[in-house]
Amino acid sequence: MTRRERARELAGGRPLVSGDLTTVTWLTGLATDIEYGPSPFTVAPLVLLDPDGSLLAFVSEDEAGGVGEGIETRTFPGFAVEDVDRSALATLLAREALTCAREVAADVASLPGALVAALLGDGVEIVDVSSELRAARAVKDADEVAAIRASTSIADAGQKAAREAAAGGRTELDVWSEARAAMERAAGGRVPLLADLVSGERTAEVGGPPSDRVLHDGDLVLVDLVPRLDAYWSDSCATLSVGEALPEMRRAHDVARAALERAVAMCRPGTRAADVDAAARGVIAEGGGTYPHHTGHGIGTSFHEEPRVIPDTARVLEEGMVVALEPGSYGDRWGVRVEQVLLVTDGEPEILSGHDLSL
Amino acid sequence: MTRRERARELAGGRPLVSGDLTTVTWLTGLATDIEYGPSPFTVAPLVLLDPDGSLLAFVSEDEAGGVGEGIETRTFPGFAVEDVDRSALATLLAREALTCAREVAADVASLPGALVAALLGDGVEIVDVSSELRAARAVKDADEVAAIRASTSIADAGQKAAREAAAGGRTELDVWSEARAAMERAAGGRVPLLADLVSGERTAEVGGPPSDRVLHDGDLVLVDLVPRLDAYWSDSCATLSVGEALPEMRRAHDVARAALERAVAMCRPGTRAADVDAAARGVIAEGGGTYPHHTGHGIGTSFHEEPRVIPDTARVLEEGMVVALEPGSYGDRWGVRVEQVLLVTDGEPEILSGHDLSL
């Protein structure tokens, strides 16, 4: 089944409406600008999946071109000199399209308040299908895997540039700027980017944004780059050393790589995500370490989605899932983490990441 | 009146609730991460202003530290290994705080759908005060002006770096990366940034993101940088030339600067925004040019807000408003634009921008 077919199935014969950007992007391909928060020239787009399988996107005129082929759009004004109440217009468009509905399936938390008020006022029952949508998004179609491959190559370019830039006397921000510039050069344009870039004692804090801290010989630098190319995210992490690393840093790093390898090898259809999590934590614990975060997670139209690889979860891996695994080990004065993205296949997992994992 | 007092007044004795990030930031000082879209580890914060004047912020544990002093916070979990329904928890917190309310004032479009559904289910009437909030945000308190001064100095640093970087053989992305790096160095950390960075024939299109287009002698480069430092945005635009500009480019640029000067000089309390708009358009028209966008707008916790400086508007300038003015002139093959940010005082406007406006 394609993602549209899965979405149709989970809606159970009802129209499905979503204002969750990750779901809108998943169904329509539309990747909106996300780097500067809310814009007065647009409101969040909405998607409506009809029970007959057709899709309708409610979107500003400026963004309509980003909606995939064969998907109908109903637009409200984008950039305009005059005053426009885009929120009211978007609500009106969606409400009109749902005139005959008695029940709609939705991730209700994501819907704009004005639309919910209008639908409830019309006597429409809203059935929440948020968790079903999250589960449906976890398995990728072939075009989604291709898109994640492309965004992973951008992450690789960033990791390479960060490794080249990290040197004594430079700041975390210097390394960051060069990594980002390399990614944007590789992409040919702006790249939305979530990242940890911390060095020295900051690596003990697991993550954080780049600062003006100056790198010194003996520092570790933890670089976790999460770029979005077009509609799809990737993820990657490496830890590298400036000058010579202490022997205990090298040991912890070797253990983290071993934990990653062990976890990667387990990612086959039918494996419980909790077992992958336990295996990775086990390798780290044998080496005397620990980490306070998840072992991994899916990526797609969001940077952290199902399947979450955590303890005590019933999730089971399936062919077509794309998973980022990122075990680490953190002490009082420094920490290490390594991460790769993989595709769950019917055989061995395919590692999509191509960046250097050495210290 | 302070902004909190203005907000209390417009709520008319009702509790005021908002999920609009620009309003939440305005009342609480909280500047959330906005550079990578929705995060699975948080949901949008909410603010509640009680009729007694006290503020309550509903926010993730990870973001609570960003809420201003003296403002009570009620938190839901932030980053967590285990699964958490943050949306449901945030809705629950807000609903509990509104238990006794029969009416609430809100910018209803901004409220999460789940909260609206809960409030309506409880029989609460929601009175929309979006436009009143937009008007109230237009006049800045002294601490807001100080914050905009600081973000404007970041914009200045970016303009300086862009001017130094723009040279034949370099790409728009090269100029962009250097400008952004300079701004982040000046800020000591990441800086959310909206920008136009276009060159050559692309300047005729008014704006757009940086591309891999290579700069050539005789090109204009239009650089519009809109950074947020902490909670407040600034805005700035300059147009510069690579090598020697054509005489007609110089003339158009001189006219744009004259239009800007004329518009700036008019910004005094009591002046109609539409008159400022008409004056700037008039100078450009006398020079044989035109522009398809607004003449200006307010800045604050959003990058484009009241007072919008456009035709056919009844808006009147008031002391304490901060306005970005940006007349331009665009032809078939190139365009120019210049922009400064000013504070409306009881006398002459104070120009906050310090960047070089020369061609």
Side-chain angles (χ1 to χ4, degrees):
Chain A
M1 283 203 291
T2 65
R3 56 191 180 280
R4 193 191 292 202
E5 289 162 352
R6 293 198 300 281
R8 192 178 163 196
E9 186 174 79
L10 70 87
R14 305 178 191 94
L16 171 71
V17 61
S18 179
D20 181 333
L21 187 57
T22 56
T23 300
V24 172
T25 303
W26 181 63
L27 286 174
T28 69
L30 175 65
T32 57
D33 288 336
I34 56 166
E35 289 190 77
Y36 28 83
S39 163
F41 295 113
T42 192
V43 293
L46 298 166
V47 66
L48 171 63
L49 177 61
D50 194 84
D52 73 6
S54 62
L55 282 168
L56 195 52
F58 307 96
V59 60
S60 97
E61 287 164 2
D62 297 347
E63 296 174 322
V67 172
E69 280 180 36
I71 298 174
E72 191 184 343
T73 58
R74 300 212 180 142
T75 62
F76 48 85
F79 181 88
V81 172
E82 56 275 15
D83 297 321
V84 179
D85 187 344
R86 294 169 183 81
S87 170
L89 291 174
T91 293
L92 191 68
L93 290 172
R95 190 180 187 175
E96 279 175 359
L98 289 166
T99 298
C100 301
R102 303 317 318 152
E103 284 185 10
V104 302
D107 36 5
V108 59
S110 79
L111 295 182
L115 179 59
V116 169
L119 291 177
L120 294 178
D122 289 345
V124 176
E125 188 183 347
I126 305 176
V127 179
D128 190 65
V129 291
S130 310
S131 65
E132 291 83 354
L133 274 168
R134 280 197 295 273
R137 288 209 316 265
V139 176
K140 267 64 187 177
D141 293 341
D143 64 313
E144 297 185 279
V145 174
I148 296 171
R149 273 183 213 282
S151 64
T152 302
S153 75
I154 299 296
D156 291 347
Q159 290 289 351
K160 182 164 183 287
R163 191 169 284 273
E164 287 164 4
R170 309 201 73 189
T171 66
E172 291 169 0
L173 278 169
D174 290 339
V175 176
W176 159 256
S177 293
E178 295 211 12
R180 185 165 203 162
M183 298 169 88
E184 297 195 324
R185 265 197 308 277
R190 288 187 73 163
V191 172
L193 186 55
L194 168 66
D196 292 314
L197 203 157
V198 290
S199 64
E201 295 203 356
R202 293 189 75 206
T203 58
E205 296 160 22
V206 179
S211 76
D212 50 14
R213 183 183 181 280
V214 177
L215 308 186
H216 296 288
D217 261 17
D219 277 351
L220 295 179
V221 187
L222 191 159
V223 182
D224 196 324
L225 300 177
V226 188
R228 190 189 80 176
L229 180 71
D230 302 328
Y232 280 81
W233 292 88
S234 188
D235 200 346
S236 69
C237 188
T239 305
L240 49 96
S241 65
V242 178
E244 198 63 31
L246 296 174
E248 55 266 36
M249 292 173 176
R250 299 208 157 270
R251 272 195 300 275
H253 189 262
D254 285 344
V255 170
R257 289 195 65 171
L260 176 60
E261 273 179 38
R262 174 97 174 82
V264 166
M266 289 177 68
C267 287
R268 289 172 175 252
T271 303
R272 292 175 62 242
D275 292 340
V276 178
D277 180 85
R281 287 186 201 277
V283 174
I284 297 287
E286 279 167 34
T290 182
Y291 54 97
H293 52 73
H294 48 265
T295 293
H297 55 87
I299 53 171
T301 58
S302 71
F303 53 74
H304 185 112
E305 59 184 41
E306 298 300 336
R308 299 193 72 214
V309 181
I310 57 175
D312 304 320
T313 171
R315 294 165 176 88
V316 171
L317 298 183
E318 296 175 46
E319 187 178 346
M321 287 180 170
V322 175
V323 183
L325 294 173
E326 50 180 331
S329 185
Y330 310 89
D332 290 338
R333 299 179 57 82
W334 50 266
V336 299
R337 179 162 77 249
V338 287
E339 179 174 31
Q340 287 178 316
V341 169
L342 64 84
L343 170 66
V344 180
T345 74
D346 60 357
E348 288 189 11
E350 182 190 353
I351 295 174
L352 305 184
S353 298
H355 64 294
D356 185 353
L357 286 179
S358 62
L359 190 64
Chain B
M1 282 203 292
T2 65
R3 56 192 180 279
R4 194 191 292 203
E5 289 162 352
R6 293 199 300 282
R8 192 178 163 197
E9 186 174 81
L10 71 86
R14 306 178 189 94
L16 171 71
V17 61
S18 178
D20 181 332
L21 186 56
T22 56
T23 299
V24 172
T25 303
W26 181 64
L27 286 174
T28 70
L30 175 66
T32 57
D33 288 335
I34 55 166
E35 289 190 77
Y36 28 82
S39 163
F41 295 113
T42 192
V43 293
L46 298 167
V47 66
L48 172 62
L49 176 62
D50 194 84
D52 73 7
S54 63
L55 282 168
L56 195 52
F58 307 97
V59 60
S60 98
E61 288 163 2
D62 297 346
E63 296 174 322
V67 172
E69 279 180 36
I71 298 174
E72 191 185 344
T73 58
R74 301 215 179 139
T75 61
F76 49 84
F79 182 87
V81 172
E82 56 275 15
D83 297 322
V84 178
D85 188 345
R86 293 168 183 81
S87 170
L89 291 174
T91 293
L92 191 67
L93 290 173
R95 189 181 186 175
E96 278 174 0
L98 289 166
T99 299
C100 301
R102 304 316 319 150
E103 284 185 10
V104 302
D107 37 4
V108 60
S110 79
L111 295 182
L115 178 60
V116 168
L119 292 176
L120 294 178
D122 291 344
V124 176
E125 188 183 347
I126 305 176
V127 179
D128 190 65
V129 292
S130 311
S131 64
E132 291 84 353
L133 276 169
R134 280 196 296 272
R137 288 209 317 265
V139 176
K140 268 64 186 177
D141 292 341
D143 64 314
E144 298 186 278
V145 174
I148 296 171
R149 273 184 214 280
S151 64
T152 302
S153 75
I154 299 297
D156 290 348
Q159 290 289 351
K160 182 165 184 286
R163 192 169 284 271
E164 286 165 5
R170 308 201 73 189
T171 66
E172 291 170 0
L173 278 170
D174 291 338
V175 176
W176 160 256
S177 294
E178 295 211 11
R180 184 165 204 163
M183 298 169 89
E184 297 194 325
R185 266 197 309 277
R190 289 187 70 163
V191 171
L193 186 55
L194 168 66
D196 291 316
L197 204 158
V198 291
S199 65
E201 295 203 355
R202 293 190 75 207
T203 58
E205 295 160 22
V206 179
S211 76
D212 52 12
R213 184 184 181 279
V214 177
L215 308 186
H216 296 288
D217 261 17
D219 276 351
L220 295 179
V221 186
L222 190 160
V223 181
D224 195 324
L225 300 176
V226 189
R228 189 190 79 176
L229 179 72
D230 304 326
Y232 281 80
W233 291 88
S234 189
D235 201 345
S236 69
C237 186
T239 306
L240 48 97
S241 65
V242 177
E244 198 63 32
L246 296 174
E248 55 266 38
M249 292 173 175
R250 297 207 159 272
R251 271 195 300 275
H253 188 262
D254 285 344
V255 170
R257 288 195 65 172
L260 176 60
E261 274 180 38
R262 175 98 174 83
V264 166
M266 289 177 68
C267 287
R268 290 173 174 251
T271 303
R272 291 175 62 240
D275 292 340
V276 178
D277 180 86
R281 288 186 201 276
V283 174
I284 297 288
E286 279 167 33
T290 183
Y291 54 97
H293 51 72
H294 48 264
T295 293
H297 55 86
I299 54 172
T301 58
S302 72
F303 53 74
H304 185 113
E305 60 185 41
E306 297 301 337
R308 300 192 71 214
V309 181
I310 56 176
D312 304 320
T313 170
R315 294 164 175 90
V316 172
L317 299 184
E318 296 175 47
E319 187 179 346
M321 288 181 168
V322 175
V323 183
L325 294 174
E326 51 181 329
S329 184
Y330 310 89
D332 290 338
R333 299 179 57 84
W334 49 266
V336 300
R337 180 163 75 249
V338 287
E339 179 175 32
Q340 287 178 316
V341 170
L342 64 85
L343 170 67
V344 180
T345 74
D346 60 356
E348 288 190 10
E350 182 190 355
I351 296 174
L352 306 183
S353 299
H355 65 293
D356 185 353
L357 286 178
S358 62
L359 189 65

